[in-house]
Amino acid sequence: MCVMTTATAPRPASAPAPVWARRAAHAIALCAVPSGLWRIAMASGVYVGYSDRVLHDVFDIPGWGIAYVVGLSVLTELAALFPLLLVTDRWRPMHPGVLAPLAWTASGVLLLVALWQLVVAFTVESRTYMSSGTAQTVWGFAFAPLFAIPALMTAVTWSYAKRHRAQTRTSPPSVP
Protein backbone atom coordinates (compact mmCIF):
# COMPACT_ATOMS: atom_id res chain seq x y z
CA MET A 1 0.00 0.00 0.00
CA CYS A 2 1.37 3.36 -1.00
CA VAL A 3 0.60 6.23 1.32
CA MET A 4 0.59 9.59 -0.39
CA THR A 5 1.88 12.50 1.62
CA THR A 6 2.21 16.12 0.67
CA ALA A 7 5.87 15.46 -0.09
CA THR A 8 5.09 12.66 -2.56
CA ALA A 9 1.78 13.94 -3.91
CA PRO A 10 1.91 15.12 -7.51
CA ARG A 11 1.65 18.86 -7.87
CA PRO A 12 -1.56 20.05 -9.41
CA ALA A 13 -1.21 21.63 -12.81
CA SER A 14 -1.12 25.39 -12.73
CA ALA A 15 -2.64 27.72 -15.25
CA PRO A 16 -0.35 28.27 -18.22
CA ALA A 17 1.69 31.43 -18.28
CA PRO A 18 0.19 34.24 -20.33
CA VAL A 19 1.77 34.93 -23.70
CA TRP A 20 3.09 38.31 -22.54
CA ALA A 21 4.89 36.65 -19.60
CA ARG A 22 6.49 34.05 -21.89
CA ARG A 23 7.64 36.80 -24.24
CA ALA A 24 9.01 38.84 -21.34
CA ALA A 25 10.95 35.82 -20.01
CA HIS A 26 12.48 35.23 -23.43
CA ALA A 27 13.23 38.94 -23.77
CA ILE A 28 15.24 38.80 -20.54
CA ALA A 29 17.48 36.12 -22.02
CA LEU A 30 17.90 38.19 -25.18
CA CYS A 31 18.66 41.40 -23.25
CA ALA A 32 21.82 39.81 -21.84
CA VAL A 33 23.23 38.82 -25.24
CA PRO A 34 24.62 42.18 -26.52
CA SER A 35 26.68 42.91 -23.39
CA GLY A 36 27.96 39.33 -23.33
CA LEU A 37 29.07 39.58 -26.94
CA TRP A 38 30.72 42.93 -26.19
CA ARG A 39 32.65 41.37 -23.28
CA ILE A 40 33.69 38.37 -25.39
CA ALA A 41 34.88 40.75 -28.12
CA MET A 42 36.93 42.59 -25.49
CA ALA A 43 38.44 39.32 -24.24
CA SER A 44 39.19 38.24 -27.82
CA GLY A 45 41.26 41.31 -28.55
CA VAL A 46 38.70 43.20 -30.63
CA TYR A 47 39.03 46.94 -30.08
CA VAL A 48 36.10 48.03 -27.92
CA GLY A 49 37.39 51.44 -26.86
CA TYR A 50 40.04 50.53 -24.31
CA SER A 51 43.73 51.03 -24.95
CA ASP A 52 46.07 48.05 -24.64
CA ARG A 53 47.47 49.56 -21.45
CA VAL A 54 44.01 49.84 -19.83
CA LEU A 55 43.14 46.29 -20.89
CA HIS A 56 46.35 45.02 -19.32
CA ASP A 57 46.47 47.19 -16.17
CA VAL A 58 42.77 47.38 -15.30
CA PHE A 59 41.22 44.24 -16.77
CA ASP A 60 44.30 41.93 -16.85
CA ILE A 61 43.76 41.13 -20.53
CA PRO A 62 45.65 39.17 -21.76
CA GLY A 63 45.76 37.09 -18.61
CA TRP A 64 43.22 35.99 -16.01
CA GLY A 65 40.97 38.83 -17.08
CA ILE A 66 39.95 36.81 -20.14
CA ALA A 67 38.56 34.01 -17.97
CA TYR A 68 36.82 36.56 -15.75
CA VAL A 69 35.21 38.46 -18.63
CA VAL A 70 34.11 35.33 -20.52
CA GLY A 71 32.94 33.70 -17.27
CA LEU A 72 30.95 36.81 -16.41
CA SER A 73 29.29 36.67 -19.83
CA VAL A 74 28.38 32.99 -19.40
CA LEU A 75 27.07 33.49 -15.84
CA THR A 76 25.04 36.52 -16.92
CA GLU A 77 23.38 34.56 -19.71
CA LEU A 78 22.70 31.57 -17.44
CA ALA A 79 21.10 33.88 -14.89
CA ALA A 80 19.06 35.49 -17.66
CA LEU A 81 17.62 32.05 -18.45
CA PHE A 82 16.19 31.71 -14.90
CA PRO A 83 12.90 33.48 -15.73
CA LEU A 84 12.13 30.75 -18.24
CA LEU A 85 11.53 28.49 -15.23
CA LEU A 86 8.71 30.81 -14.23
CA VAL A 87 6.82 30.39 -17.50
CA THR A 88 7.45 26.76 -18.39
CA ASP A 89 5.04 23.95 -17.64
CA ARG A 90 7.42 21.18 -18.65
CA TRP A 91 10.00 21.27 -15.89
CA ARG A 92 9.54 22.30 -12.28
CA PRO A 93 12.77 21.97 -10.32
CA MET A 94 11.34 23.64 -7.21
CA HIS A 95 8.04 23.94 -5.45
CA PRO A 96 6.20 27.20 -6.25
CA GLY A 97 6.43 28.11 -2.57
CA VAL A 98 10.22 28.17 -2.93
CA LEU A 99 10.52 29.49 -6.47
CA ALA A 100 8.25 32.52 -6.00
CA PRO A 101 10.22 34.05 -3.08
CA LEU A 102 13.45 33.30 -4.92
CA ALA A 103 12.12 35.10 -8.00
CA TRP A 104 10.99 38.11 -5.93
CA THR A 105 14.44 38.26 -4.34
CA ALA A 106 16.07 38.11 -7.78
CA SER A 107 13.83 40.96 -8.96
CA GLY A 108 14.88 43.12 -6.01
CA VAL A 109 18.56 42.34 -6.47
CA LEU A 110 18.33 43.11 -10.20
CA LEU A 111 16.77 46.47 -9.43
CA LEU A 112 19.56 47.34 -6.98
CA VAL A 113 22.24 46.20 -9.44
CA ALA A 114 20.68 48.29 -12.22
CA LEU A 115 20.64 51.37 -10.00
CA TRP A 116 24.24 50.72 -8.98
CA GLN A 117 25.30 50.33 -12.62
CA LEU A 118 23.72 53.67 -13.45
CA VAL A 119 25.83 55.28 -10.74
CA VAL A 120 28.98 53.54 -12.03
CA ALA A 121 28.21 54.39 -15.67
CA PHE A 122 28.06 58.08 -14.91
CA THR A 123 31.06 58.39 -12.63
CA VAL A 124 34.14 60.11 -13.91
CA GLU A 125 36.44 57.13 -13.29
CA SER A 126 34.49 54.65 -15.41
CA ARG A 127 34.41 57.05 -18.35
CA THR A 128 38.12 57.93 -18.30
CA TYR A 129 39.20 54.42 -19.29
CA MET A 130 37.26 54.30 -22.56
CA SER A 131 38.03 56.44 -25.56
CA SER A 132 35.27 58.83 -26.52
CA GLY A 133 32.94 58.73 -29.49
CA THR A 134 31.92 55.60 -31.32
CA ALA A 135 33.29 53.19 -28.69
CA GLN A 136 31.16 54.73 -25.93
CA THR A 137 28.10 54.67 -28.19
CA VAL A 138 28.60 50.99 -29.00
CA TRP A 139 29.16 50.26 -25.31
CA GLY A 140 25.95 52.13 -24.46
CA PHE A 141 23.90 50.18 -27.01
CA ALA A 142 25.41 46.89 -25.82
CA PHE A 143 24.63 47.48 -22.15
CA ALA A 144 21.37 49.46 -22.40
CA PRO A 145 19.15 46.35 -22.76
CA LEU A 146 20.30 45.19 -19.33
CA PHE A 147 18.30 48.02 -17.77
CA ALA A 148 15.05 46.47 -19.05
CA ILE A 149 15.69 43.24 -17.15
CA PRO A 150 14.53 44.36 -13.66
CA ALA A 151 11.13 45.52 -14.98
CA LEU A 152 10.70 42.42 -17.14
CA MET A 153 11.75 40.13 -14.28
CA THR A 154 9.32 41.80 -11.91
CA ALA A 155 6.47 41.36 -14.41
CA VAL A 156 7.29 37.68 -15.00
CA THR A 157 7.59 37.08 -11.25
CA TRP A 158 4.27 38.80 -10.59
CA SER A 159 2.60 36.63 -13.22
CA TYR A 160 4.12 33.47 -11.73
CA ALA A 161 3.14 34.39 -8.17
CA LYS A 162 -0.39 35.32 -9.23
CA ARG A 163 -0.91 32.02 -11.11
CA HIS A 164 0.42 29.89 -8.28
CA ARG A 165 -1.35 31.84 -5.56
CA ALA A 166 -4.64 31.23 -7.38
CA GLN A 167 -3.70 27.55 -7.73
CA THR A 168 -3.14 27.07 -4.00
CA ARG A 169 -6.49 28.72 -3.20
CA THR A 170 -8.42 26.47 -5.57
CA SER A 171 -6.58 23.17 -5.03
CA PRO A 172 -8.33 20.66 -2.75
CA PRO A 173 -6.78 20.00 0.64
CA SER A 174 -4.45 17.00 0.76
CA VAL A 175 -5.57 13.91 2.63
CA PRO A 176 -3.08 12.67 5.26
Side-chain angles (χ1 to χ4, degrees), residues 7-175:
T8 59
R11 293 184 203 146
S14 62
V19 173
W20 67 263
R22 290 180 187 275
R23 288 181 180 159
H26 284 85
I28 291 169
L30 292 174
C31 283
V33 171
S35 62
L37 292 175
W38 185 90
R39 285 189 205 102
I40 290 171
M42 181 174 86
S44 300
V46 174
Y47 178 73
V48 293
Y50 294 121
S51 68
D52 289 340
R53 181 171 180 239
V54 169
L55 286 174
H56 184 269
D57 294 347
V58 177
F59 298 105
D60 197 22
I61 295 175
W64 284 102
I66 293 172
Y68 170 74
V69 169
V70 171
L72 182 60
S73 296
V74 170
L75 285 175
T76 301
E77 192 58 45
L78 287 174
L81 294 174
F82 170 73
L84 295 175
L85 291 176
L86 303 175
V87 296
T88 186
D89 298 326
R90 296 181 194 158
W91 187 60
R92 296 184 197 170
M94 294 181 228
H95 190 275
V98 174
L99 195 54
L102 182 63
W104 281 119
T105 302
S107 293
V109 168
L110 285 168
L111 180 61
L112 292 174
V113 168
L115 291 173
W116 175 250
Q117 288 303 311
L118 279 174
V119 169
V120 170
F122 292 108
T123 62
V124 175
E125 181 181 345
S126 68
R127 294 176 12 159
T128 58
Y129 291 137
M130 187 176 286
S131 64
S132 61
T134 306
Q136 283 184 339
T137 303
V138 170
W139 175 85
F141 279 119
F143 282 83
L146 293 178
F147 291 105
I149 291 177
L152 291 168
M153 181 65 186
T154 301
V156 171
T157 301
W158 175 80
S159 172
Y160 179 83
K162 180 180 172 189
R163 285 183 293 119
H164 288 279
R165 188 173 39 245
Q167 170 196 349
T168 56
R169 281 191 218 141
T170 60
S171 65
S174 62
V175 177

